Amino acid sequence: MNDVKTPPKLAPGTLRVIPLGGLGDVGRNMTAFEIDGQIALVDCGVLFPEDHHPGVDLILPALDYLEGREQDIVALVLTHGHEDHIGAVPYLLKRRPDIPVYGSKLTLAFVAAKLREHRIRNFTLDAVEEGDILEIGNYEFEFLAVNHSIPDALAVAIRTKAGLVLHTGDFKMDQLPLDGRITDLRGFARLGEEGVDLFMADSTNAEVPGFTTPERDTVPAIQRVFESSTGKLIVACFASHVHRVQQILNQAVRYDRKVVYVGRSMVRNMSTARDLGYLQVPAGTLIELKDIDKYPKDKVVIVSTGSQGEPLAALSRIANKDHPVIEVGPGDTVLLASSLIPGNENSVYRVINALSKLGANVVHKGNALVHVSGHASAGELLYCYNILRPKNALPVHGEARHLIANGKLAELTGVPHERVLVIGDGDVVDLKDGVAKQVGSIDASYIFVDGSFVGDISDSIMDRRILGEEGFVSVITVVDLHNRKIVSGPEVQIRGLAEDDSVFEDARSRVAKALEDAMNDGVNDAYRLQQITRRTVGQWVSKRLRRRPMIVPVVVTT
C-alpha cells in the first residue's frame, strides 16, 4: 500500500472505488464503492496467515475504514463462495447484522453456515442468478455467469450515474466445463457495446501465457491415482471445491471405494452442495468416519481438508500422527488436488515431507496433472479486454506482479497507459465522466484474528516469534503432599497469546481441582502432578482458544 494521503471530499455524482483487500495479496478480497453517500461492497474475504504471522488464524480486509459508516452500506455483493471472498462476512456483519447480502444460492448457503457458527442472527441473504438485475439505492447491479473452480460464480456489472463498472470476481474461460456453465462472453460483449467505463479483472494468472487448462484434463491423472493405489487413499482439496469432490466421487464408484469426508468445513460444505443439487452423490457411496475401520483400507477414499498445510486441518494432523482416527504408512497414497496459494509453499512442503517420511506416496500438482487453476490466463484476459474495450482498467486479485502483468495486457489491447490503474490496497480511485484516476489513499492495514481476538496483535506476534508459534503458558503450584492440598497457586502466566491473563481463570480452577483429585487418589510425586497440569491446561486451551502453546508446569512440594 502507498503512504496514506487523505483523498478529497467525494464530489456529487462521482463514484469512489477503494480496494480494502486483495490488491497485493492472494486473499482478503474486498472493494468498497461509494456514490452520493451510499456504499456498496463487493466480496468480503480472508487472507490466510504465512509463517511470519505465527499463531494468527485469519487476516481480514480493512473493515475499520467502514467504522461509523455502517448505516451507509446498501449492499454486500458476493461473487462466489471461496474463503478469500466470503470468509470475513461474519466479522462485517458483527458490526451491522442487517446489511443486505446478495450472492448465488450456493454462495449464500456457505455464508449462512458461517453466520450460524458465529451466532449472528437477523441477517438478510438474498439469492440472485445470472441475468438478474437489481436496483438498490444509487446502484444497479447486473449479474453474469462466470466459470471458476466452484459452482455458481458470478461477475457483477455496476451501473451508476458516474459510469459502468464490470467486476469479474474470480473467473476463467473453460469452454468445456464439468458443470456445463461457461463464462457469459455474450453478456460481456453486450456490456462492451454499452460502454464499460472501468474494468476490474481477476489478475491471479495474468503472468501465465495462453489459456488455462480445462478441468476435464485432470480426469486421466486422477483416474491413474485410483488405478495405482493399493492401500488407503487420501485426497486433500479445498473444502469448497465441489467440482473436484465430484470427480473423486465418480472415481470412487468406478473403483469400488467408499468415501468419507474429514474436516468440519468439508463435511458442512459438501452436505450443503448435495442438498442444493450441485453435488451428485451415488447411493451407498458415503460412510461415516467412525465406520472407516469396517472396510479394507483399499476400499476407502478419504476426502480431507488441509491442502494448504494449515496446521489445524485434517491433513496436517494426519501427517503429524496427531489424528484420532486416520493413520498413513507404506502403501498408502495421498493426493493433493489443489494449487499452491502464494505464501503457503513452506507449510505445504512440510506436510508433503512428513507424509513421505511415513511411507506414503504423495501425488501433487508438481508431479501430476491433478489440478488446474480456476483463474483466467493471459490469453483469456486479452480476449476480455478486446471484447469490452474498457475506457479504464483496474486490475484486482493478486500480488503486485500479477496486477502489473494484467495492466500490461490492458495496454496491449489499447487502454491508454494513464487509464491503467495498477494500485494497492487502500488506494482511492474516483470515476467521473469516463475518467478514472487515483486521488489519495486510506489505511488498509491487516486486521488479525487470533482465536476470539480481532485487531492489532503485533506485540503478540513478536512474542510468538520468540516463544514458538502457538504461545507459552507457565503454571506454578505449591502443594502439601502430606495433607493433600494446594498451598499456593496455581499461578498462570502467559506470553504470545492475545488473551488477557484473566481468561485463564477457568483453566486455573480446573488445574486446582485436577491436582486435588489426583492427590486424594494417592498421587504423591511432583512429576505426575506436572503431567496432570500440562494435560489439563492443554485440553482447555485447545478447546477454548484453539491453540497448542508450549506449556511449562512447575509443581513445588512441601
Side-chain angles (χ1 to χ4, degrees):
M1 188 189 75
N2 294 331
D3 292 336
V4 172
K5 176 186 174 185
T6 303
K9 182 179 178 180
L10 183 58
T14 298
L15 179 65
R16 178 157 288 176
V17 183
I18 308 177
L20 301 180
L23 273 65
D25 295 302
V26 179
R28 71 170 198 146
N29 297 291
M30 186 176 189
T31 305
F33 298 85
E34 181 179 355
I35 187 168
D36 295 338
Q38 293 186 348
I39 297 173
L41 305 171
V42 173
D43 288 331
C44 188
V46 295
L47 173 68
F48 292 102
E50 299 181 23
D51 288 346
H52 60 277
H53 300 126
V56 173
D57 292 327
L58 302 168
I59 301 171
L60 305 181
L63 300 180
D64 289 347
Y65 169 73
L66 301 169
E67 187 170 353
R69 301 287 312 275
E70 291 87 355
Q71 295 305 317
D72 296 332
I73 301 171
V74 297
L76 167 61
V77 174
L78 302 174
T79 59
H80 65 282
H82 280 150
E83 286 295 305
D84 57 336
H85 291 257
I86 67 169
V89 173
Y91 300 94
L92 174 65
L93 295 196
K94 285 177 182 178
R95 299 172 178 231
R96 182 191 151 198
D98 65 342
I99 293 173
V101 182
Y102 301 89
S104 64
K105 185 168 61 172
L106 182 65
T107 301
L108 295 187
F110 287 171
V111 169
K114 286 180 172 297
L115 297 178
R116 287 192 291 268
E117 283 188 0
H118 283 259
R119 300 180 181 178
I120 296 174
R121 298 176 177 85
N122 302 320
F123 51 81
T124 303
L125 304 182
D126 293 308
V128 296
E129 299 178 349
E130 57 262 31
D132 286 352
I133 298 176
L134 300 179
E135 291 189 15
I136 304 171
N138 298 326
Y139 300 88
E140 181 182 272
F141 300 99
E142 180 179 352
F143 299 93
L144 300 94
V146 291
N147 177 244
H148 187 39
S149 55
I150 186 173
D152 250 7
L154 296 167
V156 57
I158 306 172
R159 295 182 179 89
T160 70
K161 65 175 66 175
L164 170 61
V165 178
L166 177 59
H167 191 303
T168 66
D170 284 353
F171 86 113
K172 60 179 177 178
M173 289 164 54
D174 192 334
Q175 298 302 297
L176 297 169
L178 296 175
D179 62 358
R181 185 174 179 271
I182 64 173
T183 293
D184 185 7
L185 293 181
R186 294 177 66 184
F188 278 30
R190 174 175 48 79
L191 293 174
E193 291 298 318
E194 180 180 340
V196 173
D197 295 286
L198 182 63
F199 184 39
M200 302 175 69
D202 176 14
S203 305
T204 309
N205 268 6
E207 287 186 306
V208 181
F211 291 76
T212 300
T213 304
E215 286 277 351
R216 65 179 54 229
D217 285 8
T218 64
V219 174
I222 293 174
Q223 185 174 323
R224 283 193 294 272
V225 172
F226 274 81
E227 286 177 350
S228 62
S229 296
T230 57
K232 191 178 300 175
L233 174 58
I234 299 173
V235 179
C237 64
F238 292 117
S240 54
H241 203 332
V242 179
H243 297 323
R244 188 70 70 244
V245 174
Q246 184 69 68
Q247 289 177 300
I248 300 306
L249 288 167
N250 295 344
Q251 295 301 326
V253 171
R254 178 173 183 172
Y255 289 93
D256 192 28
R257 286 183 182 249
K258 300 296 183 182
V259 176
V260 57
Y261 299 141
V262 177
R264 183 178 61 173
S265 58
M266 182 68 71
V267 173
R268 180 190 67 205
N269 288 355
M270 291 308 119
S271 297
T272 299
R274 179 182 186 178
D275 291 344
L276 294 177
Y278 293 97
L279 186 69
Q280 307 304 315
V281 183
T285 302
L286 290 181
I287 62 172
E288 299 289 333
L289 180 60
K290 62 182 176 62
D291 297 327
I292 193 171
D293 290 334
K294 296 179 182 179
Y295 298 86
K297 64 180 185 177
D298 63 346
K299 292 298 181 182
V300 173
V301 56
I302 298 160
V303 181
S304 166
T305 57
S307 63
Q308 298 301 305
E310 306 96 311
L312 296 179
L315 189 64
S316 290
R317 298 184 65 190
I318 294 167
N320 294 330
K321 302 177 70 173
D322 189 34
H323 196 278
V325 178
I326 302 170
E327 297 179 349
V328 298
D332 295 335
T333 300
V334 178
L335 167 61
L336 273 69
S338 64
S339 59
L340 271 175
I341 294 177
N344 292 347
E345 294 89 349
N346 291 339
S347 298
V348 173
Y349 290 130
R350 272 198 296 268
V351 170
I352 291 174
N353 287 328
L355 292 167
S356 299
K357 288 179 181 178
L358 294 174
N361 174 37
V362 184
V363 182
H364 53 88
K365 188 180 179 182
N367 57 27
L369 183 58
V370 291
H371 179 77
V372 297
S373 175
H375 303 271
S377 295
E380 293 151 273
L381 291 172
L382 287 171
Y383 262 87
C384 289
Y385 280 115
N386 283 326
I387 290 171
L388 292 166
R389 293 293 180 186
K391 295 177 182 176
N392 304 270
L394 198 169
V396 295
H397 302 170
E399 297 180 343
R401 58 195 173 94
H402 305 132
L403 304 175
I404 292 168
N406 194 347
K408 290 179 179 177
L409 295 175
E411 289 189 46
L412 286 173
T413 60
V415 182
H417 175 77
E418 65 276 9
R419 300 289 184 87
V420 178
L421 304 168
V422 179
I423 61 173
D425 292 340
D427 289 335
V428 179
V429 170
D430 283 356
L431 175 65
K432 177 73 171 178
D433 297 328
V435 177
K437 60 181 179 180
Q438 184 179 345
V439 297
S441 59
I442 57 100
D443 182 8
S445 301
Y446 285 177
I447 298 175
F448 298 102
V449 177
D450 175 18
S452 60
F453 183 89
V454 179
D456 183 1
I457 52 175
S458 301
D459 290 342
S460 177
I461 288 175
M462 289 306 297
D463 284 342
R464 287 200 185 91
R465 288 178 181 172
I466 299 169
L467 300 171
E469 181 172 326
E470 296 289 331
F472 174 91
V473 180
S474 69
V475 186
I476 303 173
T477 313
V478 180
V479 300
D480 180 348
L481 289 177
H482 179 72
N483 293 306
R484 299 178 181 178
K485 66 178 183 180
I486 294 173
V487 177
S488 69
E491 180 181 338
V492 179
Q493 296 182 339
I494 63 173
R495 292 291 302 278
L497 289 166
E499 280 72 19
D500 186 83
D501 288 17
S502 62
V503 174
F504 279 78
E505 183 61 30
D506 180 46
R508 192 192 71 79
S509 300
R510 290 172 183 259
V511 170
K513 185 178 186 305
L515 292 179
E516 289 170 349
D517 289 347
M519 288 187 288
N520 288 330
D521 288 341
V523 176
N524 60 1
D525 68 87
Y527 176 77
R528 291 178 64 189
L529 292 175
Q530 287 173 175
Q531 293 300 98
I532 291 168
T533 300
R534 177 181 285 111
R535 183 167 59 250
T536 303
V537 173
Q539 290 172 346
W540 184 90
V541 173
S542 176
K543 183 176 181 180
R544 176 73 180 273
L545 304 178
R546 297 179 65 191
R547 288 279 172 269
R548 290 189 291 178
M550 179 187 299
I551 301 171
V552 179
V554 178
V555 174
V556 179
T557 60
T558 62

